[in-house]
């Protein structure tokens, strides 16, 4: 039930944002929030922002994907979870590219950029893919180690912190409006909910199959 409600809320927020790009209230929101974040610029925070932008880049996520996918497939023998991760991340990148080309929102003024970019602004690809990618990594890690690792409770808050910092870094560096990042989170969050549901279904069916095999073996031994 919570999944349906959460997905509906995220979809509604994305629709409102995408239809309000030219609205005065959203421009005011972007101006005030973006201005406040960029006012914090300095020698201390700029390298931090660039680091988190790097963490949300396609090249970084590409490398991390193959490391995690390799562990899932070869160590844990979770081929279906690996497939969900692959489809989820690839789908997020493709959908983000399609939405950018469809909406065609220009980036903030290049005078404020601290890094170079060359695509449209809405929704933020870093925010959209990072919430799905790092959120799904955290979920997969948590469900596999929560019963054997005492510090597993740290996984969700650390993942949330990383995802938030990636989005904030894009505003800080001047290449996205706050609404771009918020829209990216809502769109990527929809994908994350779908992927988590798929993994829960896979694990539930695997557990049922294992239980049935156990009963079958017990009956044969009897």
């Amino acid at each position: 039930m919570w999944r349906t409600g959460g997905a509906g809320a995220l979809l509604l927020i994305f629709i409102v944002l995408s239809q309000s790009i030219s609205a005065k209230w959203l421009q005011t929101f972007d101006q005030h929030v973006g201005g406040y974040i960029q006012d914090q610029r300095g020698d201390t925070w700029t390298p931090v922002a660039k680091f988190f932008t790097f963490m949300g880049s396609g090249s970084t996520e590409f490398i991390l994907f193959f490391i995690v996918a390799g562990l899932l497939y070869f160590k844990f023998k979770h081929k279906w979870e690996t497939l969900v991760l692959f489809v989820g991340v690839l789908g997020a990148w493709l959908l983000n590219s399609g939405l950018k080309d469809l909406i065609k929102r220009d980036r903030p003024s290049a005078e404020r950029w601290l890094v170079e970019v060359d695509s449209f602004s809405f929704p933020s690809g870093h925010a959209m893919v990072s919430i799905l990618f790092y959120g799904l990594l955290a979920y997969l890690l948590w469900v596999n180690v929560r019963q054997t690792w005492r510090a597993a409770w740290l996984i969700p808050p650390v993942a949330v912190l990383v995802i938030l910092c990636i989005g904030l870094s894009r505003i800080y560096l001047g290449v996205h409006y706050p609404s771009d990042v918020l829209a990216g989170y809502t769109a990527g969050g929809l994908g994350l909910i779908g992927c988590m549901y798929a993994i829960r279904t896979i694990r539930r069916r695997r557990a049922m199959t294992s239980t049935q095999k156990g009963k079958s073996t017990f009956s044969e031994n009897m």
Side-chain angles (χ1 to χ4, degrees), residues 135-170:
L136 196 54
L137 289 192
Y139 180 70
L140 287 167
L141 181 60
W142 182 71
V143 298
N144 280 292
V145 305
R146 60 181 173 176
Q147 295 180 343
T148 58
W149 187 33
R150 290 184 178 180
W153 64 272
L154 287 170
I155 296 172
V158 169
V160 170
L161 180 61
V162 170
I163 292 166
L164 287 176
C165 286
I166 289 173
L168 288 172
S169 74
R170 304 303 285 169

Side-chain angles (χ1 to χ4, degrees), residues 52-69:
F52 280 106
T53 273
F54 174 74
M55 290 296 294
S57 67
S59 57
T60 302
E61 291 170 349
F62 182 80
I63 294 170
L64 290 175
F65 167 80
F66 276 98
I67 294 173
V68 174

Side-chain angles (χ1 to χ4, degrees), residues 115-137:
V115 292
E116 293 298 320
V117 288
D118 59 0
S119 62
F120 289 113
S121 188
F122 187 100
S124 165
H126 277 66
M128 183 171 172
V129 180
S130 70
I131 192 172
L132 188 145
F133 180 69
Y134 288 107
L136 196 54
L137 289 192

